[in-house]
Amino acid sequence: MVAAPLVDSVLDYWTSQKRQKCSESPKSFYNSGFRSLIFIPVFTLFFIFLVALQMSYTSTSPEHLPNTRRPISALLNLPEVKEYQKCVLKHNKFLHQKEYMLSTMINGCIPKGIHDQSKFILSYTDVDLQSICQQLFYFAASRVSDVIRNNLSYKITTLRQSVFKSDERLKGMLSYAEYYDILSETTKRVGKNNAEDEKKHTRKLERDRTNCRHYIPRQSYADIKVRKKRNRKAKKKSPRVSSRRLKRRNIKAPNKNSVAVGSQDHESTSPPPVINLSNTITLTEGHFGIFKRGPKFIPTPRKADFAEFQEDIRIWKNRLRWAVYHDLKKSDTDNINVEVPAPIEVALIKSNKSKFDAPFSKNLALELFLQNIDMEIKNHNEKKNLGDNLNVEERKALQDIRSWSDTIVRPYDKGVGFVVDDVENYKARINKELSNPTIYSLVTDIDNAIPSINNRIRDWMDRYSDEISFRLQNWMIDENADFGYFYLNYKAHKPEKGYPGRMITSGCGSPTERISSWCEYHLKPLMELLPYRLEDTSHFIRKVLLYNEKASTENTSRNIILCSWDIEAMYPNITNDLGLTACKELLNKRDNLVPSTDCIIDAIQITLEENIAKFGNTVVKQCDGTAMGPHHACSYADAAADYAVDQKVMNHSINPLYDKILNWSRFRDDIFCIWTGTEEELLDFNLWINNLHPRLKFTMEYSTTSIVFLDLKISTSGTSLLTEMYSKSSDTHAYLMPTSCHPTHVCRNIPKGVMKRVKRNCSTENKCEKGYVEYKQYLVNRGYNDQLINEAIADARATPRDQLLGITQKNLNSPSPRQYPLVMKFNPKLPPMSKFIHKHHHILELTNQTKNLFTKSSLFVSYKMEKNILGIITRNKFKENQLPAAAPHHPHVSIPPTPTDNPSWGCHPCPKTCTLCKNFLRTSSTFTSPKTTQIFRIKSHIDCSTKNVIYLVLDLKCTDIFYIGYTTDCMAVRWRNHKSHIKNSIKSCELASHFISLSQTTHKLDKSSLATFTSELSKHIAIVLIESVKPSTGLDVESFLKEREDFWQGA
């Protein structure tokens, strides 16, 4: 649906406006809130009218519709029109009811009907007991109110989908004039009902605020019980310094108040923490517990590596002693010319760690300090029983996941979560990408591939030996280099497409990795010369503030359209000629042309033409475009996009509609624009920009009210723009859990970072407060303490927004002292080195030398992390013994011919008897249409591995319900998606929505385990594969499948 995001944005805008009013003081809300809300429905209807206009222009052609115009009275009697108006009015009614329920909660009220039923009267006189019991009943009534409010949200979502479907049916059967007559009549009815609902709900809210202000928040009563329990157990103890374990308790939420891992109390359409696409693995509760904890979660290590710890201490003590030694020799070397490495050498070449121990220092203060540190380490008693942040089942599940040999675990491409898939399926996806001959070519001489690349780099250095230092020349060639490697991350936010993958090429350890770093060193500073490039979200918000400031000084008012474009597959579609030309033009703008432009361009050309990577036993070379793995890929792509797009768009002699663009900003492949022309001119401009380059294609979205860009939702308010928080549907908000084996300060700072991001992104106080509430719930769901989150909110409120946006810079004039961190792994069983350093730091102040060298801010502990769950259960690079022989390289993929053996025609199970074929698939050579009861013959041999099929899903409980769909993938993959969405309550299609809506009645399924769920679901569903599609030459496969799906739906 083209207009669905716009309708969603309008409804979100309506809801946000109402919540802003509700968050004001009760008096101001009552006096001004509902008076302003009276205009919001009319405002919303106007935008729904515009959305419908857009939908008609984008989805319907004039030739398709008749030119007749029937009277409105005749149109209103049509069943489709009645159904449409019924859905719209019901949706509007539920939306008002939800807003009323939300208003009562914000004002601390319980709706009167629920409130009256919660009154409790004790049979005998006891004031204290009466008060306690009444509070319990009010707490239960508050939860009932919450349940009703959440149910209304679900009803609204379901009705919104019905409105979309009814609208599509009307546009298919009515002419333009008739469609707008119906739309106008519906608008009048909705406006009339809105006025009535507003008056009724205003009156009801006034009544509730007077008599029913007994709403109890979700966790307050539990907090009272926990505090009382703690007070009973409290004993007088001598004061002591807070330990790391006590600090950890202050971060975690109390057990009785903490929310289950991965739970989501509020409305969410986020994907599940794990998607199982494997045919061989059945996930247990222990597996789900591991995946729900998130990729950054670190399990408690079984033991500490004291040998590695002692080596880290030795290296740190060497640094301190060498610092004092060189400081003593400083006066002797002031008059000697010492060769200082160039900045580029310091930035790129990492010095090897010396194993030579420094001599004992003549500074007795330093030696006394180190001696006391050694004594503290010696006297430290290792803590034996620190507990485990994984339970027994999760520990076994973690070991089980690591032992999988035929199954692979990959992270989401966007968002936080995992995908479990068979290795063979994973290989097939990557080999399909590598079989594209326009992008990749097969490398036949594998043994000489890396030496030939090194020889080419040597020839390049010989040509420009005067411009590259001798030390850099020795560093540039890596004699131990190996091929890069391919890996693929699944796009969990696109389940309707079968979770496609994003191919990534890793250049780590490849022969071109170092020359790529050298190119990035010279390209990155030039990015500041690109006027339309965005650095990050803060940079974009600063540009929005400048636009608002300029708009406020102008007296003229203009109608603007907010637009955004996405460059489809930008990296592989940037041709080498385009990228090199763009980089050459940018490099020529340098003040210092050393090294020369030709030297850098030749180096970039080597990285493009010698980009060789391996998957299994197949080695391929990228023929055109750039991969996403090299160090300079982002700067290279930015330069190309600026040259091919930005410069031409913002050039009045090239762009015929240049004067219609008020603002143009680009972050990588995402573009934001403020358009001052008409909608027709914008559509013309979209056609023009798609013809700028034959390989670069743009996808546009636009709106006059609000639009999404980066992690922001930008909306119009008069002549200004407002920003607020936005998160994609794939964002699970799975922040690091406080039980993870991280240093305490890391977990304590996560709520601060989250709330400061809310303050930075929200342009008004009301939007900030709304964001604080929303993201507080996300943090509570991950186990964070309410008090810690409230402190983070208070800190964010006290921080000026200009500071968060980088408008007010910190004072960087004073040089920072040299730092001497102790770099060690974090493990609770190791000695608390930070405590020891601070305890004995006063010794270093005994001499002026150590006092000046080692300040309190220069000595600290910097932790390396143990392996997290992502590093434990996923692997980007396969080992050879884990991969079967690679499939042969096929430059072209052909569709298998349809069998002509009539006896084999029909729907058959696969030889493996997979879960689909064993439990759900019906073996048959014919099928009966559920709509017309006509019998059809299946005219090909189809099983669960056949691609491009039309399938029929029969509801065995609701016999009048059936579902017909199509898939370009095999049915086994498609059914796994359907089953996963039904199990995890993801409304991705009508089939899943039907089962979710009846999950408590007709389709009540046991979801305690995958095996039980599959067994019960097989009693509700039967599947028949009815047609295998082979489109004609030159015809799009998916378009042809859609045509056949429409045919079978009406057959």
Side-chain angles (χ1 to χ4, degrees):
M1 296 295 296
V2 176
L6 296 179
V7 175
D8 287 341
S9 65
V10 170
L11 295 173
D12 291 342
Y13 175 77
W14 183 358
T15 304
S16 64
Q17 291 295 320
K18 291 194 173 186
R19 290 184 179 176
Q20 290 176 20
K21 297 297 181 181
C22 293
S23 61
E24 299 174 2
S25 64
K27 184 176 180 180
S28 62
F29 170 74
Y30 176 69
N31 292 336
S32 62
F34 274 103
R35 285 205 305 270
S36 62
L37 290 180
I38 293 174
F39 297 97
I40 293 175
V42 179
F43 190 65
T44 307
L45 292 173
F46 173 70
F47 283 111
I48 292 177
F49 186 89
L50 291 181
V51 168
L53 177 63
Q54 179 210 9
M55 292 172 65
S56 63
Y57 274 107
T58 55
S59 62
T60 311
S61 60
E63 294 78 8
H64 176 67
L65 298 173
N67 296 321
T68 59
R69 184 170 188 174
R70 289 168 283 183
I72 188 65
S73 58
L75 294 175
L76 292 176
N77 291 326
L78 294 176
E80 293 81 3
V81 174
K82 290 182 178 179
E83 179 66 19
Y84 172 74
Q85 290 189 337
K86 178 181 176 182
C87 291
V88 171
L89 294 175
K90 195 171 183 180
H91 173 273
N92 195 58
K93 178 182 178 181
F94 281 1
L95 193 61
H96 277 278
Q97 184 67 18
K98 177 191 172 184
E99 292 302 318
Y100 161 70
M101 298 290 291
L102 182 64
S103 302
T104 58
M105 181 196 70
I106 293 176
N107 284 272
C109 306
I110 301 174
K112 187 176 184 300
I114 304 175
H115 183 271
D116 291 343
Q117 297 181 50
S118 65
K119 291 182 178 179
F120 176 82
I121 300 176
L122 197 63
S123 60
Y124 58 93
T125 304
D126 189 331
V127 178
D128 294 335
L129 182 60
Q130 169 72 27
S131 176
I132 293 174
C133 293
Q134 185 61 71
Q135 285 295 316
L136 280 172
F137 275 75
Y138 284 152
F139 182 82
S142 302
R143 301 292 70 76
V144 170
S145 177
D146 294 344
V147 170
I148 294 175
R149 189 173 61 255
N150 291 336
N151 183 261
L152 285 172
S153 300
Y154 167 74
K155 294 288 186 183
I156 290 170
T157 303
T158 305
L159 284 170
R160 189 182 301 180
Q161 297 175 358
S162 301
V163 170
F164 288 161
K165 294 176 183 177
S166 300
D167 185 81
E168 284 297 305
R169 284 197 294 269
L170 288 183
K171 286 190 297 180
M173 61 179 290
L174 302 178
S175 65
Y176 287 149
E178 292 175 342
Y179 176 76
Y180 293 128
D181 287 344
I182 294 299
L183 196 62
S184 177
E185 183 66 20
T186 306
T187 303
K188 292 178 183 178
R189 294 188 59 181
V190 171
K192 181 180 178 181
N193 290 352
N194 282 340
E196 297 174 357
D197 289 340
E198 292 293 348
K199 291 180 182 179
K200 180 175 66 175
H201 291 152
T202 304
R203 186 171 61 255
K204 290 169 64 176
L205 183 63
E206 179 184 4
R207 176 201 64 197
D208 295 341
R209 291 178 66 248
T210 305
N211 303 317
C212 308
R213 301 194 72 166
H214 297 105
Y215 182 88
I216 300 177
R218 181 182 298 273
Q219 295 181 347
S220 59
Y221 185 77
D223 287 340
I224 294 172
K225 292 177 63 179
V226 170
R227 286 197 297 270
K228 287 184 177 180
K229 186 176 180 180
R230 287 180 177 176
N231 291 337
R232 288 196 299 268
K233 293 183 178 181
K235 296 180 180 179
K236 291 184 179 181
K237 295 182 180 180
S238 58
R240 62 187 181 92
V241 180
S242 61
S243 66
R244 287 186 291 180
R245 297 189 69 184
L246 180 60
K247 292 179 181 178
R248 181 73 64 177
R249 290 194 204 105
N250 293 336
I251 297 175
K252 296 187 296 182
N255 290 337
K256 291 192 177 182
N257 292 346
S258 60
V259 181
V261 178
S263 67
Q264 299 191 15
D265 288 348
H266 54 284
E267 305 161 31
S268 176
T269 57
S270 302
V274 59
I275 298 173
N276 187 9
L277 303 181
S278 172
N279 290 322
T280 58
I281 296 296
T282 300
L283 299 181
T284 64
E285 289 299 325
H287 295 143
F288 278 105
I290 292 294
F291 291 125
K292 287 176 181 178
R293 293 185 181 275
K296 300 299 182 183
F297 185 90
I298 297 180
T300 303
R302 290 293 192 185
K303 59 182 180 179
D305 190 345
F306 284 96
E308 183 181 6
F309 170 71
Q310 292 291 347
E311 178 65 16
D312 294 334
I313 295 293
R314 184 193 69 81
I315 294 173
W316 178 63
K317 292 195 293 186
N318 271 351
R319 288 196 62 193
L320 300 185
R321 286 175 174 147
W322 281 121
V324 172
Y325 176 83
H326 290 296
D327 185 70
L328 291 174
K329 297 291 183 179
K330 186 176 181 180
S331 58
D332 300 335
T333 59
D334 282 344
N335 298 325
I336 301 177
N337 293 327
V338 180
E339 182 181 358
V340 179
I344 185 174
E345 296 175 354
V346 175
L348 297 181
I349 303 176
K350 295 181 180 179
S351 59
N352 296 325
K353 296 180 180 179
S354 174
K355 294 186 178 181
F356 177 72
D357 289 337
F360 281 87
S361 175
K362 297 179 180 180
N363 191 303
L364 299 182
L366 175 62
E367 291 302 325
L368 179 61
F369 170 76
L370 297 179
Q371 183 181 355
N372 285 355
I373 295 293
D374 290 338
M375 190 64 65
E376 292 281 5
I377 296 174
K378 182 179 179 181
N379 296 334
H380 173 71
N381 295 322
E382 180 185 350
K383 297 180 179 180
K384 301 295 183 181
N385 300 320
L386 289 178
D388 194 352
N389 54 12
L390 299 179
N391 59 40
V392 177
E393 291 182 0
E394 290 170 344
R395 275 290 174 186
K396 292 180 180 178
L398 185 61
Q399 295 299 323
D400 183 33
I401 296 173
R402 295 184 64 183
S403 66
W404 290 346
S405 59
D406 297 330
T407 307
I408 189 170
V409 180
R410 297 299 310 155
Y412 288 171
D413 178 60
K414 293 181 180 179
V416 180
F418 298 91
V419 174
V420 179
D421 200 0
D422 295 329
V423 170
E424 292 300 323
N425 294 339
Y426 180 74
K427 284 181 54 184
R429 287 172 179 259
I430 291 186
N431 286 328
K432 182 179 179 181
E433 297 285 342
L434 299 181
S435 64
N436 187 346
T438 61
I439 300 179
Y440 300 102
S441 62
L442 185 65
V443 175
T444 55
D445 191 1
I446 298 178
D447 296 334
N448 294 325
I450 293 178
S452 64
I453 296 175
N454 288 336
N455 290 334
R456 184 173 178 181
I457 296 175
R458 289 191 183 94
D459 294 340
W460 166 75
M461 290 189 296
D462 291 340
R463 289 198 306 272
Y464 301 101
S465 57
D466 297 338
E467 303 177 35
I468 306 172
S469 67
F470 180 74
R471 192 178 179 202
L472 280 174
Q473 292 184 37
N474 290 335
W475 167 81
M476 201 76 71
I477 300 295
D478 184 5
E479 298 295 344
N480 298 320
D482 197 359
F483 296 109
Y485 52 89
F486 296 103
Y487 62 92
L488 184 139
N489 291 338
Y490 291 77
K491 298 181 180 180
H493 56 290
K494 295 183 178 180
E496 69 280 358
K497 296 184 178 180
Y499 304 105
R502 185 188 301 277
M503 174 81 81
I504 299 176
T505 307
S506 174
C508 296
S510 66
T512 59
E513 180 185 13
R514 296 182 178 182
I515 193 173
S516 174
S517 301
W518 185 85
C519 295
E520 173 66 3
Y521 181 86
H522 294 288
L523 284 176
K524 189 174 182 179
L526 302 179
M527 296 299 104
E528 298 179 357
L529 302 179
L530 306 180
Y532 309 106
R533 171 184 171 270
L534 294 173
E535 297 176 0
D536 49 24
T537 301
S538 297
H539 186 195
F540 175 71
I541 296 177
R542 293 198 297 269
K543 296 187 74 171
V544 170
L545 293 178
L546 290 175
Y547 166 79
N548 290 341
E549 183 179 353
K550 182 179 178 181
S552 62
T553 58
E554 297 178 356
N555 296 326
T556 58
S557 61
R558 56 168 65 94
N559 295 325
I560 63 174
I561 302 177
L562 304 179
C563 323
S564 69
W565 282 271
D566 176 64
I567 307 177
E568 299 177 1
M570 182 178 74
Y571 284 80
N573 284 319
I574 296 176
T575 60
N576 293 353
D577 292 339
L578 170 61
L580 293 174
T581 304
C583 291
K584 186 173 183 178
E585 181 184 275
L586 188 60
L587 289 167
N588 287 332
K589 297 179 181 179
R590 294 176 296 162
D591 295 331
N592 183 10
L593 296 178
V594 178
S596 64
T597 299
D598 291 340
C599 175
I600 302 175
I601 290 298
D602 289 350
I604 297 175
Q605 189 170 0
I606 292 175
T607 63
L608 293 175
E609 296 177 355
E610 302 296 343
N611 188 11
I612 296 179
K614 186 177 183 180
F615 180 73
N617 296 327
T618 303
V619 180
V620 298
K621 177 188 291 188
Q622 189 163 349
C623 307
D624 203 1
T626 182
M628 298 182 66
H631 295 283
H632 70 291
C634 292
S635 299
Y636 173 84
D638 275 335
D642 179 81
Y643 177 80
V645 182
D646 299 346
Q647 293 184 25
K648 294 180 180 179
V649 169
M650 300 306 291
N651 190 330
H652 63 87
S653 61
I654 299 177
N655 182 4
L657 296 172
Y658 166 78
D659 57 336
K660 306 298 181 183
I661 299 176
L662 200 58
N663 179 280
W664 184 271
S665 304
R666 179 185 53 80
F667 181 80
R668 298 286 187 268
D669 56 349
D670 295 322
I671 300 171
F672 174 81
C673 171
I674 301 176
W675 184 265
T676 59
T678 63
E679 182 179 348
E680 290 76 11
E681 290 174 330
L682 177 61
L683 297 176
D684 292 339
F685 175 74
N686 184 52
L687 293 176
W688 179 82
I689 197 175
N690 271 282
N691 292 320
L692 281 179
H693 192 274
R695 292 276 293 273
L696 298 180
K697 298 302 176 184
F698 300 78
T699 303
M700 181 181 68
E701 293 183 3
Y702 64 95
S703 172
T704 57
T705 55
S706 63
I707 201 168
V708 171
F709 183 69
L710 301 181
D711 59 342
L712 298 171
K713 182 179 179 182
I714 305 105
S715 57
T716 58
S717 176
T719 59
S720 302
L721 297 181
L722 302 179
T723 59
E724 60 182 300
M725 294 291 294
Y726 172 79
S727 57
K728 295 184 178 180
S729 59
S730 59
D731 192 349
T732 56
H733 300 283
Y735 299 109
L736 179 68
M737 299 182 67
T739 54
S740 176
C741 191
H742 275 77
T744 306
H745 68 273
V746 173
C747 298
R748 291 188 67 89
N749 286 329
I750 285 178
K752 292 183 180 180
V754 171
M755 296 308 170
K756 286 183 178 180
R757 176 170 165 257
V758 172
K759 175 72 174 287
R760 181 199 68 182
N761 286 5
C762 297
S763 55
T764 64
E765 289 297 329
N766 288 337
K767 293 183 184 297
C768 273
E769 296 300 324
K770 177 185 173 184
Y772 292 151
V773 174
E774 178 183 357
Y775 280 80
K776 177 181 178 178
Q777 187 61 51
Y778 293 142
L779 291 168
V780 169
N781 290 345
R782 298 299 289 174
Y784 282 87
N785 188 291
D786 275 349
Q787 182 181 355
L788 179 67
I789 302 172
N790 292 334
E791 291 174 359
I793 294 175
D795 187 24
R797 286 173 177 155
T799 306
R801 188 168 184 244
D802 290 351
Q803 179 179 331
L804 299 176
L805 291 173
I807 297 176
T808 56
Q809 299 291 340
K810 296 181 180 179
N811 185 15
L812 301 177
N813 295 330
S814 58
S816 58
R818 187 172 180 180
Q819 297 179 334
Y820 303 91
L822 167 59
V823 182
M824 56 178 283
K825 275 192 175 180
F826 176 77
N827 193 315
K829 296 184 178 181
L830 291 176
M833 294 305 300
S834 181
K835 176 183 175 181
F836 297 161
I837 291 173
H838 289 297
K839 179 179 178 180
H840 299 287
H841 185 269
H842 66 278
I843 300 175
L844 297 175
E845 297 180 355
L846 296 176
T847 65
N848 290 331
Q849 184 187 31
T850 53
K851 182 179 180 180
N852 295 331
L853 279 176
F854 309 120
T855 62
K856 287 187 177 181
S857 60
S858 64
L859 287 180
F860 56 92
V861 178
S862 179
Y863 289 108
K864 299 180 289 185
M865 291 295 104
E866 296 279 355
K867 271 193 175 184
N868 54 30
I869 286 181
L870 180 68
I872 294 174
I873 66 177
T874 66
R875 57 185 187 271
N876 290 338
K877 186 177 181 180
F878 283 112
K879 296 181 181 179
E880 288 298 329
N881 58 2
Q882 293 174 330
L883 274 177
H889 183 75
H890 296 294
H892 303 286
V893 179
S894 59
I895 301 175
T898 304
T900 57
D901 188 11
N902 291 347
S904 68
W905 284 358
C907 175
H908 300 280
C910 65
K912 300 179 181 179
T913 62
C914 61
T915 303
L916 168 62
C917 299
K918 182 179 179 181
N919 298 283
F920 303 98
L921 198 68
R922 280 189 176 179
T923 303
S924 176
S925 60
T926 61
F927 71 95
T928 304
S929 170
K931 186 174 182 180
T932 62
T933 66
Q934 184 178 353
I935 299 177
F936 294 93
R937 179 171 175 78
I938 302 173
K939 297 184 178 181
S940 58
H941 180 92
I942 316 174
D943 58 27
C944 65
S945 62
T946 307
K947 295 186 176 182
N948 302 327
V949 297
I950 311 293
Y951 58 92
L952 168 65
V953 180
L954 300 173
D955 191 331
L956 303 181
K957 301 295 182 180
C958 306
T959 55
D960 58 334
I961 299 296
F962 66 95
Y963 176 84
I964 292 180
Y966 72 88
T967 177
T968 56
D969 212 330
C970 62
M971 190 59 203
V973 175
R974 181 61 171 167
W975 176 241
R976 283 198 298 268
N977 297 339
H978 278 313
K979 190 172 68 170
S980 175
H981 296 165
I982 295 173
K983 185 176 186 295
N984 295 287
S985 299
I986 301 175
K987 298 179 182 179
S988 58
C989 63
E990 294 180 4
L991 176 63
S993 300
H994 170 70
F995 271 78
I996 295 168
S997 62
L998 300 177
S999 59
Q1000 300 300 324
T1001 55
T1002 309
H1003 296 302
K1004 191 172 184 179
L1005 304 171
D1006 184 2
K1007 300 180 181 180
S1008 58
S1009 67
L1010 185 60
T1012 305
F1013 172 71
T1014 303
S1015 176
E1016 290 207 1
L1017 186 61
S1018 64
K1019 302 174 184 177
H1020 294 249
I1021 280 182
I1023 299 175
V1024 182
L1025 306 179
I1026 61 178
E1027 184 180 11
S1028 174
V1029 172
K1030 181 182 179 182
S1032 304
T1033 305
L1035 187 62
D1036 180 58
V1037 177
E1038 192 160 357
S1039 300
F1040 193 71
L1041 282 167
K1042 185 67 173 66
E1043 290 181 9
R1044 297 302 298 167
E1045 179 193 43
D1046 294 341
F1047 168 79
W1048 287 116
Q1049 285 177 349

